[in-house]
Amino acid sequence: MAVLRDRSREIQCPLWVCPDLDQYPTDSGPLQLGLAGQHQRSNASLALQLSHTWLQRRCGPDQSCSPLLDPENSSIAQAASFKPSPVMVKGLASTEWAGRTQTLRHGALTYFLDGAHTRRSMQACVQWFRETAAQHERNAR
């Protein structure tokens, strides 16, 4: 984060962190994700922020860029949450990514698949597997 903050100051570009997924207001309760794993919650928040920003700049009435933050300010602002559109909510809930936190059942066998390829993604995979395997065991009783 320090590197991102320093680089944003250097090029005078605002830097925001995404809010937690549960901070987005909805009419239908908490946002549901099609992808399993706690780490997907931050990925989903980033996807919401990026798509919202793109849509505002592309389709919204105000095409201007956000004002720059003071480059001397060492704090990093949190991006504002917003009410996701029904299409965004549906997109998050219906997203599938074969080989990422995927559970396949074949008869009595259950396969837990994840194409983790970095240390951090392997750590997220282990956490997902522990939670999912434990839930699978509870459901099998």
Side-chain angles (χ1 to χ4, degrees), residues 102-106 109-113 128:
Q102 184 178 10
T103 304
L104 294 175
R105 289 178 178 78
H106 184 72
L109 296 175
T110 302
Y111 298 93
F112 300 93
L113 308 174
W128 163 76

Coordinates of all heavy atoms in Angstrom, one line a residue, residues 102-106 109-113 128:
Q102 N -13.8 -24.3 -7.1 CA -14.8 -25.1 -7.7 C -15.0 -26.4 -7.0 O -14.0 -27.1 -6.7 CB -14.5 -25.3 -9.2 CG -15.6 -26.1 -9.9 CD -15.2 -26.3 -11.4 OE1 -14.1 -26.0 -11.8 NE2 -16.2 -26.7 -12.2
T103 N -16.2 -26.8 -6.8 CA -16.5 -28.1 -6.2 C -17.2 -28.9 -7.2 O -18.3 -28.5 -7.7 CB -17.4 -27.9 -4.9 OG1 -16.7 -27.1 -4.0 CG2 -17.6 -29.3 -4.2
L104 N -16.7 -30.1 -7.5 CA -17.4 -31.0 -8.4 C -17.7 -32.3 -7.7 O -16.9 -32.9 -6.9 CB -16.4 -31.4 -9.6 CG -16.0 -30.3 -10.5 CD1 -15.0 -30.8 -11.5 CD2 -17.2 -29.7 -11.3
R105 N -18.9 -32.8 -7.9 CA -19.4 -34.1 -7.4 C -19.5 -35.1 -8.5 O -20.1 -34.8 -9.5 CB -20.7 -33.9 -6.6 CG -20.5 -33.1 -5.4 CD -21.8 -32.8 -4.6 NE -21.6 -32.1 -3.4 CZ -21.4 -30.8 -3.3 NH1 -21.4 -30.1 -4.4 NH2 -21.3 -30.2 -2.1
H106 N -18.9 -36.2 -8.2 CA -19.0 -37.4 -9.2 C -19.3 -38.6 -8.4 O -18.5 -39.2 -7.8 CB -17.7 -37.5 -9.9 CG -17.7 -38.6 -11.0 ND1 -18.4 -38.4 -12.2 CD2 -17.1 -39.8 -11.1 CE1 -18.3 -39.5 -12.9 NE2 -17.5 -40.3 -12.3
L109 N -17.9 -39.3 -4.8 CA -16.6 -38.5 -4.7 C -16.9 -37.0 -4.9 O -17.8 -36.6 -5.7 CB -15.6 -38.9 -5.7 CG -15.1 -40.3 -5.6 CD1 -14.2 -40.6 -6.8 CD2 -14.3 -40.5 -4.3
T110 N -16.2 -36.2 -4.1 CA -16.3 -34.7 -4.2 C -14.8 -34.3 -4.5 O -13.9 -34.6 -3.8 CB -16.8 -34.1 -3.0 OG1 -18.1 -34.6 -2.7 CG2 -16.9 -32.6 -3.1
Y111 N -14.7 -33.5 -5.5 CA -13.4 -32.9 -5.9 C -13.4 -31.4 -5.6 O -14.4 -30.7 -5.9 CB -13.1 -33.1 -7.4 CG -13.0 -34.5 -7.8 CD1 -14.1 -35.2 -8.3 CD2 -11.8 -35.2 -7.7 CE1 -14.0 -36.5 -8.7 CE2 -11.7 -36.5 -8.1 CZ -12.8 -37.2 -8.6 OH -12.7 -38.5 -8.9
F112 N -12.4 -30.9 -4.9 CA -12.3 -29.5 -4.6 C -11.1 -28.9 -5.5 O -10.0 -29.4 -5.3 CB -12.0 -29.3 -3.1 CG -13.0 -29.8 -2.2 CD1 -12.9 -31.1 -1.7 CD2 -14.1 -29.1 -1.9 CE1 -13.9 -31.6 -0.9 CE2 -15.1 -29.6 -1.1 CZ -15.0 -30.9 -0.6
L113 N -11.5 -28.1 -6.4 CA -10.5 -27.6 -7.4 C -10.2 -26.1 -7.2 O -11.1 -25.3 -7.0 CB -11.0 -27.8 -8.8 CG -11.5 -29.2 -9.2 CD1 -12.1 -29.2 -10.6 CD2 -10.3 -30.2 -9.1
W128 N -10.3 -21.4 1.9 CA -11.5 -21.9 1.2 C -11.7 -23.3 1.4 O -12.8 -23.8 1.7 CB -11.4 -21.5 -0.3 CG -12.5 -22.3 -1.1 CD1 -13.8 -22.0 -1.1 CD2 -12.2 -23.4 -1.9 NE1 -14.4 -23.0 -2.0 CE2 -13.5 -23.8 -2.4 CE3 -11.1 -24.1 -2.3 CZ2 -13.6 -24.9 -3.3 CZ3 -11.2 -25.2 -3.1 CH2 -12.5 -25.6 -3.6

